[in-house]
């Protein structure tokens, strides 16, 4: 008994410990307290408070150490309270998705007797508060990406990882990612991490639709990594982001030619001597960062083709050596040698040698760096400019100006020169007489005062490189150090044109090639889920195109066969005689005419909702005249059934007696139509035999007015289409007038009804030609 009691007590203690551990493992989070709202707050109040708190605690604006954590809590609280199901769950059980136990409905799926708990896979990685500090250090926000990463990507590439809180696959790449980040950051590669759960906008902007993903950014362009996550693959990926031919391979044969190209390129040359057969990534990254200022070359000391070059400059083969050459191709302007060459050393070395001793002003950016705007009195920078040309007679003076500058290098004075033929607008405010300038180059001392272009200057001397010119310039520089007020002239300098800018068509070709390569890369490496919308669109277009061609081919062949058969049999129109007005304009597609009755059921689909370009030809008839008029109507319109834009219907005016009057009254030309229809009589008009062509989309109709063309004892043949003012004989007018005066109950002879549509074929021809008058209405009347 005692053993059983002790065993039970042990179980109770163990359960208590487990419950306490479980309770302590779940952090308490009250979304109402975090947002500062009551439990009965409305959605509008919660949204208003959330916007205010999110703006206040956003990490981009609030630099408090706990701002990021507070911002996350605010966001999660709003996610809970803005969702009615989550809010109801919290109000009932006091549980959020983060604190819900294993038995919670959100994490469990019950399939009959099988019970699977996903919370079993609750990795520590799933909590942002427990995320590795290395990732938190590189978290990117949208504004930070746009304002910092994109501009900096023109100086260094970026490696960005796309992840999320519950990305289990992300755990497997973490060790490799940490090693790569540690190496690449020391080389100067930018690192970033985007959390899809908190920066969905940035992820969509980058085109990252799955986690984990790794992408690179250079020159503002995004490139995805599509290979196995290994250190060597990521290193190759970063190298592949860099442009080609950043670094030239230097040998004994080509080094002299490259060093002598400083004049055309207007840049110093940097040569790295090393034992490695491949160019180091650190050197490539430095070449990318300073590509606008320097030309880079690499000398493999292990090659026999570089032996003479190493002897010429006395290179130590046991440590990497970096030389910079400026105007003098025989002697390096600066040298650095270190066994473990670091990024900071290389950056400092290249920053100190970005310009030639006397560079040529070829663009505004170079002018701004060489001759910066005056900011403070002690930071004045003066530029000694030689305004010259590229002609051979001026080469001696240009060389002597370089010689003078090399012996008078001072921190506050920079020497440069400008070619007149490339910068006429720039030098025009300085020199008024360009003819004299073309014969005699001029030296001026210049100080910039503001970014708008204002500058103070003083013409020093016409320059031909003589000793007198050098002494005069030396005296003016000494006076300038004592009295800056000697710069008495002022001018507004325009912006310098970029001499090395490529033509528009070249830039367009480069941009198009980049876009094409990006599209091809996306097509080759996107997964099927991402490609489905594009593939669906392509196959749909092909199916529609193929289906249209096949159907058209079969329909054309059937029409041709039908036409040939009719021509062979010599068949005529169904009424036994050729139709008045000539041959039909198109062959009928069927051997019958489909005529639909317009009722309150078919009215909408056959008129009001007709597609654009389609028309409904409607015959008005009565119960007594139905059979006769439909037979005649079918014969007259049969030849027009080949048109896909025409529909044929009839309306029984015995059933819908008010529709025609309502249609004519709603027309914009109601008065004119009423006069044509009634012929001045006061009796009610009999609309039997009238035909209307109704355009349901554009809301207009054309009117055919029947006319009797048969002969009897009291009348002659009369012809009138009803829509024109064509001539009508007096006997015919009297006959029609007598017919209208008769009541609806009076029977009309079959012969007279049959001849009402004699001229319908001609009217249909004019309808197809588009020459009939159109009567527009505001809305179609209802059918009773």
């Amino acid at each position: 008994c005692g053993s059983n009691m002790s065993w039970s007590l042990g179980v109770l203690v163990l359960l208590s410990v487990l419950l306490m551990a479980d309770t302590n493992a779940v952090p308490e989070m009250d979304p109402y307290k975090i947002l500062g709202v009551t439990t009965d707050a409305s959605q509008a109040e919660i949204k208003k408070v959330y916007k205010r708190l999110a703006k206040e605690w956003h990490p981009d604006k609030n630099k408090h150490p706990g701002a990021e954590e507070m911002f996350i809590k605010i966001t999660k609280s709003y996610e809970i309270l803005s969702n009615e199901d989550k809010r109801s769950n919290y109000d009932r059980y006091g549980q959020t998705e983060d604190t819900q136990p294993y038995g919670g409905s959100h994490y469990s799926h019950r399939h009959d007797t099988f019970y699977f708990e996903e919370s079993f896979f609750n990795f520590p990685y799933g909590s942002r508060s427990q995320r590795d500090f290395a990732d938190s250090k590189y978290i990117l926000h949208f504004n930070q990406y746009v304002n910092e990463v994109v501009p900096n990507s023109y100086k260094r590439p970026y490696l960005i990882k796309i992840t999320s809180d519950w990305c289990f696959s992300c755990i497997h790449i973490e060790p490799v990612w940490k090693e790569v980040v540690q190496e690449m950051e020391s080389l100067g590669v930018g690192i970033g991490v985007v959390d899809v759960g908190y920066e969905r906008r940035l992820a969509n902007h980058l085109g990252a639709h799955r986690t984990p993903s790794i992408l690179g950014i250079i020159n503002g362009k995004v490139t995805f990594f599509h290979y196995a996550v290994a250190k060597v693959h990521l290193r190759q990926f970063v190298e592949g982001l860099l442009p080609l031919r950043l670094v030239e391979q230097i040998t004994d044969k080509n080094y002299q030619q490259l060093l002598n190209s400083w004049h055309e390129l207007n840049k110093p040359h940097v040569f790295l001597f090393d034992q490695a057969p491949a160019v180091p990534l650190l050197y490539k990254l430095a070449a990318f960062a300073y590509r606008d200022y320097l030309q880079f070359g690499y000398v493999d000391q292990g090659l026999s083709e570089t032996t003479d070059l190493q002897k010429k400059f006395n290179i130590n083969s046991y440590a990497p050596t970096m030389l910079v050459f400026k105007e003098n191709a025989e002697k390096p302007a600066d040298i650095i040698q270190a066994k473990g060459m670091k990024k900071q050393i290389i950056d400092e070395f290249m920053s100190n040698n970005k310009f030639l001793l006397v560079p040529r002003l070829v663009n505004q950016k170079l002018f701004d760096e060489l001759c910066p705007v005056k900011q403070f009195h002690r930071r004045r920078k003066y530029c000694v400019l030689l305004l010259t040309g590229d002609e051979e007679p001026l080469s001696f003076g240009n060389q002597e100006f370089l010689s003078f500058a090399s012996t008078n290098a001072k921190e506050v004075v920079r020497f440069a020169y400008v070619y007149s033929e490339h910068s006429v607008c720039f030098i025009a405010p300085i020199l008024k007489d360009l003819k004299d300038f073309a014969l005699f180059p001029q030296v001026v001392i210049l100080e910039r005062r503001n970014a708008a272009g204002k500058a103070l200057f003083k013409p020093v001397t016409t320059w031909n490189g003589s000793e007198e010119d050098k002494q005069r310039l030396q005296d003016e520089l000494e006076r300038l150090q004592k009295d800056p007020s000697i710069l008495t002239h002022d001018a507004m300098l325009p912006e310098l044109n970029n001499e090395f800018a490529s033509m528009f068509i070249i830039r367009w070709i480069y941009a198009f090639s980049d876009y094409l390569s990006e599209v091809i890369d996306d097509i080759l490496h996107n997964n099927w889920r991402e490609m489905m919308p594009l593939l669906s669109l392509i196959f749909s277009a092909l199916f529609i195109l193929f289906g249209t061609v096949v159907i058209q081919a079969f329909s054309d062949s059937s029409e041709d066969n039908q036409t040939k058969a009719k021509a062979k049999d010599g068949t005529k129109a169904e009424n036994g005689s050729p139709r008045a007005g000539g041959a039909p304009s198109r062959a009928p597609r069927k051997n019958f005419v489909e005529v639909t009755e317009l009722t309150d059921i078919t009215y909408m689909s056959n008129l009001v909702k007709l597609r654009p370009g389609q028309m409904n030809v409607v015959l008005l008839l009565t119960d007594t005249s139905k059979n006769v008029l439909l037979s005649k109507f079918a014969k007259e319109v049969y030849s027009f059934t080949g048109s896909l834009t025409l529909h044929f219907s009839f309306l029984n005016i015995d059933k819908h007696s008010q529709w025609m009057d309502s249609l004519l009254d709603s027309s914009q030309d109601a008065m004119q139509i009423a006069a044509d229809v009634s012929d001045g009589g006061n009796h009610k008009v009999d609309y039997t035999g009238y035909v209307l062509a109704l355009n349901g989309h554009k809301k207009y109709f054309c009117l055919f007015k029947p006319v009797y063309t048969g002969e009897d004892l009291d009348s002659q043949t009369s012809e009138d289409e009803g829509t024109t003012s064509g001539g009508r004989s007096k006997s015919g007018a009297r006959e029609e007038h007598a017919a209208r005066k008769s009541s609806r109950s009076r029977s009309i002879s079959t012969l007279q009804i049959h001849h009402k549509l004699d001229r319908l074929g001609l009217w249909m021809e004019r309808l197809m030609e588009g020459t009939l008058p159109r009567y527009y209405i505001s809305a179609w009347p209802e059918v009773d």
Side-chain angles (χ1 to χ4, degrees):
C1 181
S3 61
N4 291 337
M5 185 177 296
S6 61
W7 181 83
S8 302
L9 183 60
V11 171
L12 290 174
V13 171
L14 180 60
L15 289 175
S16 301
V17 171
L18 290 176
L19 288 174
M20 291 177 62
D22 182 72
T23 304
N24 295 332
V26 178
E28 294 184 359
M29 176 180 173
D30 189 344
Y32 291 105
K33 289 184 179 180
I34 292 175
L35 294 183
V37 297
T38 60
T39 55
D40 57 349
S42 64
Q43 289 294 334
E45 294 174 351
I46 293 173
K47 187 175 183 180
K48 182 178 180 181
V49 172
Y50 165 72
K51 286 185 176 180
R52 176 176 59 80
L53 292 178
K55 185 177 180 180
E56 178 183 354
W57 289 97
H58 198 282
D60 290 344
K61 297 182 179 180
N62 194 325
K63 301 304 179 182
H64 191 274
E68 184 177 359
E69 188 67 21
M70 186 62 185
F71 180 77
I72 296 171
K73 290 181 179 180
I74 292 170
T75 304
K76 287 186 176 181
S77 300
Y78 178 70
E79 289 177 357
I80 295 170
L81 298 185
S82 61
N83 187 294
E84 292 298 336
D85 294 335
K86 294 180 181 179
R87 184 177 181 180
S88 175
N89 186 54
Y90 179 82
D91 292 339
R92 286 185 178 184
Y93 308 109
Q95 296 170 350
T96 64
E97 292 181 358
D98 295 334
T99 63
Q100 194 168 9
Y102 294 159
S105 60
H106 182 79
Y107 292 97
S108 60
H109 298 274
R110 185 181 301 274
H111 299 282
D112 298 331
T113 59
F114 181 75
Y115 184 75
F116 177 73
E117 294 179 344
E118 290 182 4
S119 58
F120 177 78
F121 301 96
N122 187 9
F123 293 97
Y125 182 81
S127 174
R128 185 179 176 90
S129 60
Q130 296 173 345
R131 177 179 292 146
D132 197 321
F133 177 75
D135 272 1
S136 301
K137 179 182 177 182
Y138 305 109
I139 288 293
L140 289 179
H141 303 288
F142 185 83
N143 292 336
Q144 182 183 2
Y145 170 80
V146 173
N147 299 326
E148 297 180 16
V149 175
V150 173
N152 290 340
S153 68
Y154 289 86
K155 297 180 181 179
R156 62 172 180 168
Y158 273 80
L159 197 63
I160 296 179
K161 180 180 71 171
I162 311 297
T163 184
S164 64
D165 283 350
W166 293 101
C167 172
F168 299 138
S169 300
C170 301
I171 301 173
H172 302 292
I173 69 171
E174 278 303 304
V176 178
W177 172 256
K178 288 181 181 179
E179 291 184 22
V180 172
V181 167
Q182 186 176 3
E183 177 187 1
M184 292 300 164
E185 193 174 23
S186 64
L187 298 179
V189 178
I191 305 296
V193 176
V194 177
D195 192 322
V196 176
Y198 299 90
E199 278 296 339
R200 173 66 64 180
R201 180 186 177 191
L202 178 55
N204 292 337
H205 179 77
L206 294 172
H209 304 297
R210 58 182 177 180
T211 57
S213 294
I214 297 177
L215 54 90
I217 300 176
I218 192 167
N219 292 331
K221 179 185 175 182
V222 179
T223 304
F224 279 83
F225 175 75
H226 298 292
Y227 304 97
V229 180
K231 187 175 179 180
V232 61
H233 292 164
L234 287 170
R235 184 184 179 91
Q236 293 173 355
F237 174 67
V238 173
E239 287 195 55
L241 294 175
L242 298 172
L244 300 176
R245 299 185 63 85
L246 274 175
V247 181
E248 292 281 348
Q249 288 288 340
I250 308 300
T251 62
D252 296 336
K253 297 180 179 180
N254 64 354
Y255 85 92
Q256 194 68 44
Q257 178 183 358
L258 292 173
L259 292 180
N260 290 332
S261 65
W262 66 267
H263 184 266
E264 292 80 11
L265 299 175
N266 197 40
K267 294 178 182 179
H269 282 79
V270 179
F271 286 176
L272 173 64
F273 293 79
D274 200 357
Q275 294 284 353
V279 181
L281 179 57
L282 175 61
Y283 188 59
K284 286 185 178 181
L285 292 171
F288 177 74
Y290 292 92
R291 66 190 184 282
D292 293 336
Y293 305 97
L294 301 165
Q295 289 294 117
F296 294 86
Y298 179 73
V299 181
D300 183 2
Q301 293 178 278
L303 296 178
S304 58
E305 292 85 353
T306 62
T307 305
D308 296 342
L309 186 60
Q310 296 178 55
K311 291 180 180 179
K312 179 178 177 64
F313 297 108
N314 194 22
I315 301 300
N316 184 357
S317 59
Y318 297 102
T321 305
M322 196 176 297
L323 307 180
V324 60
F325 296 87
K326 297 187 176 180
E327 286 87 347
N328 188 356
E330 300 298 324
K331 182 180 179 182
D334 201 355
I335 182 172
I336 184 175
Q337 189 175 52
K339 206 161 190 180
M341 200 166 288
K342 303 295 183 181
K343 178 180 182 300
Q344 293 78 4
I345 299 175
I346 295 178
D347 286 343
E348 184 179 359
F349 178 74
M350 294 184 179
S351 297
N352 295 334
N353 295 281
K354 289 198 300 184
F355 308 108
L356 297 169
L357 293 176
V358 185
R360 183 169 87 254
L361 299 183
V362 294
N363 53 53
Q364 186 65 30
K365 179 182 177 181
L366 185 60
F367 183 46
D368 292 338
E369 296 197 46
L370 290 174
C371 307
V373 176
K374 170 191 171 182
Q375 296 178 346
F376 303 102
H377 178 73
R378 295 183 179 180
R379 295 184 180 179
R380 282 181 171 175
K381 296 288 185 180
Y382 300 101
C383 283
V384 180
L385 298 183
L386 172 63
L387 312 181
T388 182
D390 196 19
E391 295 82 3
E392 183 64 28
L394 303 177
S395 60
F396 175 78
N398 298 342
Q399 187 63 35
E400 291 301 314
F401 184 76
L402 171 62
S403 175
F404 178 86
S406 60
T407 57
N408 290 272
K410 297 180 180 180
E411 184 180 356
V412 297
V413 178
R414 298 302 300 263
F415 293 85
Y417 66 99
V418 180
Y419 279 158
S420 61
E421 56 268 26
H422 299 301
S423 307
V424 176
C425 297
F426 178 78
I427 65 177
I430 300 176
L431 297 174
K432 306 298 182 182
D433 192 351
L434 295 179
K435 295 182 180 180
D436 294 340
F437 164 68
L439 298 176
F440 302 101
Q442 182 77 29
V443 173
V444 298
I445 301 175
L446 181 142
E447 179 189 3
R448 298 181 65 191
R449 286 305 180 97
N450 58 41
K454 183 178 180 181
L456 299 180
F457 69 94
K458 179 182 181 181
V460 177
T461 178
T462 54
W463 184 267
N464 55 19
S466 63
E467 293 299 325
E468 292 80 4
D469 295 339
K470 294 181 181 179
Q471 186 60 44
R472 193 175 297 111
L473 178 56
Q474 183 67 36
D475 294 342
E476 290 295 333
L477 291 176
E478 292 177 358
R479 287 182 57 196
L480 182 65
Q481 291 181 350
K482 300 176 182 178
D483 184 14
S485 62
I486 65 173
L487 304 179
T488 56
H489 297 75
D490 63 272
M492 291 296 295
L493 301 179
E495 185 171 338
L496 266 170
N497 293 325
N498 189 356
E499 294 184 20
F500 294 149
S502 57
M503 297 176 61
F504 170 77
I505 187 65
I506 302 299
R507 296 197 302 270
W508 185 87
I509 292 175
Y510 285 152
F512 179 75
S513 63
D514 290 341
Y515 175 77
L516 188 61
S517 63
E518 183 177 351
V519 171
I520 295 175
D521 183 71
D522 290 341
I523 293 175
L524 293 177
H525 296 100
N526 273 338
N527 58 28
W528 285 104
R529 180 181 62 83
E530 296 172 354
M531 288 293 294
M532 280 304 295
L534 179 60
L535 294 176
S536 176
L537 179 62
I538 293 174
F539 281 112
S540 298
L542 292 176
F543 177 78
I544 294 172
L545 181 61
F546 178 76
T548 304
V549 172
V550 171
I551 293 173
Q552 187 67 29
F554 278 105
S555 62
D556 290 345
S557 61
S558 62
E559 288 182 6
D560 292 341
N561 294 334
Q562 185 177 2
T563 303
K564 292 178 181 178
K566 288 190 176 183
K568 184 177 180 179
D569 297 339
T571 57
K572 299 182 180 180
E574 287 188 17
N575 56 7
S577 61
R579 182 177 50 81
S585 59
R586 54 185 58 81
R589 298 172 62 95
K590 304 175 182 178
N591 56 3
F592 63 95
V593 180
E594 294 181 357
V595 184
T596 306
E597 182 178 5
L598 285 185
T599 64
D600 54 344
I601 298 176
T602 61
Y603 181 76
M604 295 294 293
S605 60
N606 283 272
L607 173 60
V608 179
K609 293 185 178 181
L610 278 182
R611 289 179 294 178
Q614 294 187 338
M615 300 186 71
N616 198 338
V617 181
V618 181
L619 168 66
L620 302 185
L621 48 76
T622 61
D623 290 333
T624 58
S625 61
K626 180 177 180 180
N627 295 332
V628 178
L629 285 180
L630 279 179
S631 177
K632 180 67 173 179
F633 179 75
K635 292 178 181 180
E636 291 294 321
V637 302
Y638 176 76
S639 60
F640 299 91
T641 56
S643 174
L644 299 177
T645 62
L646 293 181
H647 299 263
F648 302 96
S649 305
F650 71 92
L651 181 73
N652 194 329
I653 56 179
D654 287 339
K655 300 178 181 179
H656 312 289
S657 57
Q658 302 298 325
W659 184 82
M660 187 62 177
D661 293 330
S662 301
L663 176 67
L664 299 182
D665 292 338
S666 63
S667 173
Q668 298 176 4
D669 302 317
M671 298 297 294
Q672 179 183 350
I673 299 175
D676 293 339
V677 170
S678 64
D679 290 338
N682 296 324
H683 53 275
K684 187 175 181 180
V685 180
D686 180 14
Y687 295 112
T688 305
Y690 278 66
V691 180
L692 302 171
L694 310 175
N695 191 313
H697 181 71
K698 294 186 177 181
K699 295 181 180 179
Y700 72 81
F701 66 93
C702 300
L703 179 63
F704 169 81
K705 183 179 177 182
V707 58
Y708 177 76
T709 59
E711 295 182 352
D712 57 16
L713 297 175
D714 300 325
S715 62
Q716 301 292 332
T717 302
S718 62
E719 298 178 359
D720 188 0
E721 291 185 44
T723 56
T724 63
S725 59
R728 182 186 291 110
S729 65
K730 294 182 180 180
S731 60
R734 286 195 301 268
E735 181 184 15
E736 287 185 10
H737 182 67
R740 284 192 296 267
K741 287 182 64 177
S742 62
S743 62
R744 293 288 304 275
S745 62
R746 178 183 176 184
S747 62
I748 304 174
S749 67
T750 303
L751 184 60
Q752 288 178 318
I753 297 175
H754 184 273
H755 285 293
K756 278 181 175 289
L757 302 180
D758 282 349
R759 292 301 182 183
L760 181 59
L762 291 175
W763 184 84
M764 288 294 297
E765 287 285 350
R766 295 188 58 192
L767 175 66
M768 301 304 294
E769 294 170 359
T771 58
L772 291 177
R774 297 178 179 181
Y775 304 104
Y776 288 85
I777 61 172
S778 57
W780 295 109
E782 297 290 338
V783 174
D784 298 335

